[in-house]
């Protein structure tokens, strides 16, 4: 029932910024945890940012992978059920297919699982 659709990927030069969006549609009220993943050629798909909803106006601190900490910012717009990933100071090693995912249990997302996934959006960073 739940669908996620990413957008906002593209090609940028090193040091540039991109903002990814993930529109969540369908039945979502029971899904409090969301994540952004990425997969580069030759590498496994790993999460880069995870957020857990603790209530209508309260969220746990976003967890970021060490590789993106201080550069990426994840947020969620409750009214529109839209996820965002603001990516700053992009580096070539950030090039990957980026996915958003949703699951009722944050533990599943941290383990690389998830009940629902988007189709992915490509990010390419050139030097």
């Amino acid at each position: 029932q739940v669908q996620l659709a990413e957008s906002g990927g593209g090609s940028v030069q090193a040091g540039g910024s991109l903002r990814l969006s993930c529109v969540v549609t369908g039945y979502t009220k029971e899904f409090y945890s969301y994540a952004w993943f990425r997969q580069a050629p030759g590498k496994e798909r790993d999460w880069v940012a995870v957020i857990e909803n603790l209530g209508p106006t309260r969220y746990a601190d976003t967890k970021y992978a060490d590789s993106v900490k201080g550069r990426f910012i994840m947020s969620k717009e409750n009214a529109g059920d839209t996820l965002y990933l603001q990516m700053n100071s992009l580096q070539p090693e950030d090039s990957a297919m980026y996915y958003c995912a949703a699951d009722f249990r944050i533990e599943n997302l941290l383990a690389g699982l998830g009940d629902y996934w988007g189709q992915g959006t490509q990010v390419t960073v050139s030097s």
Side-chain angles (χ1 to χ4, degrees):
Q1 296 292 327
V2 176
Q3 297 187 56
L4 302 91
E6 306 96 333
S7 63
S11 299
V12 298
Q13 293 184 332
S17 299
L18 285 173
R19 188 183 72 169
L20 306 183
S21 299
C22 175
V23 178
V24 183
T25 59
Y27 185 76
T28 64
K29 70 176 185 178
E30 299 297 331
F31 294 88
Y32 298 120
S33 299
Y34 300 89
W36 284 97
F37 286 77
R38 69 183 182 186
Q39 185 172 30
K43 300 180 65 177
E44 296 183 350
R45 184 169 63 186
D46 296 319
W47 61 264
V48 297
V50 183
I51 188 169
E52 180 179 20
N53 188 357
L54 302 179
T57 60
R58 188 163 62 94
Y59 289 85
D61 291 340
T62 304
K63 182 183 293 292
Y64 296 99
D66 289 340
S67 58
V68 306
K69 192 173 300 181
R71 300 187 296 117
F72 289 12
I73 303 172
M74 181 181 181
S75 61
K76 182 180 183 296
E77 180 184 276
N78 290 331
D81 293 324
T82 303
L83 310 174
Y84 301 97
L85 184 67
Q86 178 66 45
M87 305 184 296
N88 301 315
S89 301
L90 284 165
Q91 303 298 316
E93 51 265 36
D94 295 318
S95 297
M97 184 73 73
Y98 283 74
Y99 303 86
C100 57
D103 198 288
F104 182 75
R105 297 183 60 191
I106 189 173
E107 292 82 3
N108 289 342
L109 295 171
L110 293 173
L113 305 175
D115 286 334
Y116 302 98
W117 295 82
Q119 79 287 348
T121 185
Q122 180 67 46
V123 172
T124 303
V125 185
S126 61
S127 59

